[in-house]
Amino acid sequence: MRIWSLHPALLDRQGLTACWREGLLAQAVLAGRTKGYLRHPQLERFRAQPDPLASIGAYLARVADEADARGYSYDRTRIDRPGPAPLMAVTDGQLEHELQHLRAKLAARSPDRLPLAVRAMPHPCFVVEAGGIEGWERVSDGTGATS
């Protein structure tokens, strides 16, 4: 599961669609509608919010906004709570980490979108703080192993 901290405008078609689907899966986990992915580390930041379902709903609504801007049609009725939620924190180190990960994906499957991914813009549901890669992120040590 990859729930991007980056702005949805940076994602290619495949990335945006995957973000939508994985966000819906995260919503199902947070709502208790599934038995899988219960301990997925990327859900920690949503669980830490006063209203996790409102936070994932706001996240999904912004992803759907980007889909609308591109002429795609995502079913907003699938969002449990699309209303506003308090902003969540993300570190600048996490954003840079994700930008490099995204750039590698874009280079392989959508090189025409690489010029859009030069700066780590946050998803509208996040406010940027100074810091390194988030503790919940699995980071490769260069050998293929992750921590």
Side-chain angles (χ1 to χ4, degrees):
M1 182 185 300
R2 168 62 61 187
I3 301 174
W4 295 98
S5 306
L6 294 170
H7 198 288
L10 299 176
L11 304 175
D12 60 351
R13 178 184 50 80
Q14 298 95 316
L16 188 65
T17 300
C19 187
W20 173 251
R21 288 181 182 156
E22 291 169 9
L24 290 172
L25 173 59
Q27 176 181 254
V29 172
L30 293 168
R33 291 193 301 263
T34 184
K35 293 181 181 177
Y37 296 98
L38 297 178
R39 301 203 188 286
H40 198 283
Q42 286 198 25
L43 295 178
E44 288 178 19
R45 58 184 163 178
F46 292 97
R47 283 194 177 107
Q49 301 307 306
D51 187 342
L53 284 175
S55 293
I56 193 67
Y59 180 93
L60 284 164
R62 301 299 77 75
V63 173
D65 290 346
E66 179 61 27
D68 290 347
R70 296 187 196 187
Y72 308 154
S73 182
Y74 289 3
D75 183 3
R76 288 176 182 266
T77 64
R78 297 185 68 191
I79 303 173
D80 291 349
R81 291 184 157 152
L87 293 177
M88 295 176 280
V90 65
T91 61
D92 53 0
Q94 179 64 30
L95 284 176
E96 270 308 311
H97 173 73
E98 289 186 26
L99 182 65
Q100 296 315 310
H101 184 63
L102 176 62
R103 286 185 58 77
K105 288 183 172 292
L106 293 176
R109 68 181 184 216
S110 301
D112 58 308
R113 295 210 47 103
L114 267 173
L116 299 174
V118 294
R119 192 175 64 104
M121 298 184 321
H123 184 288
C125 287
F126 294 102
V127 61
V128 181
E129 298 178 345
I133 297 173
E134 299 282 0
W136 46 259
E137 182 69 70
R138 286 194 253 173
V139 181
S140 174
D141 65 4
T143 66
T146 56
S147 60

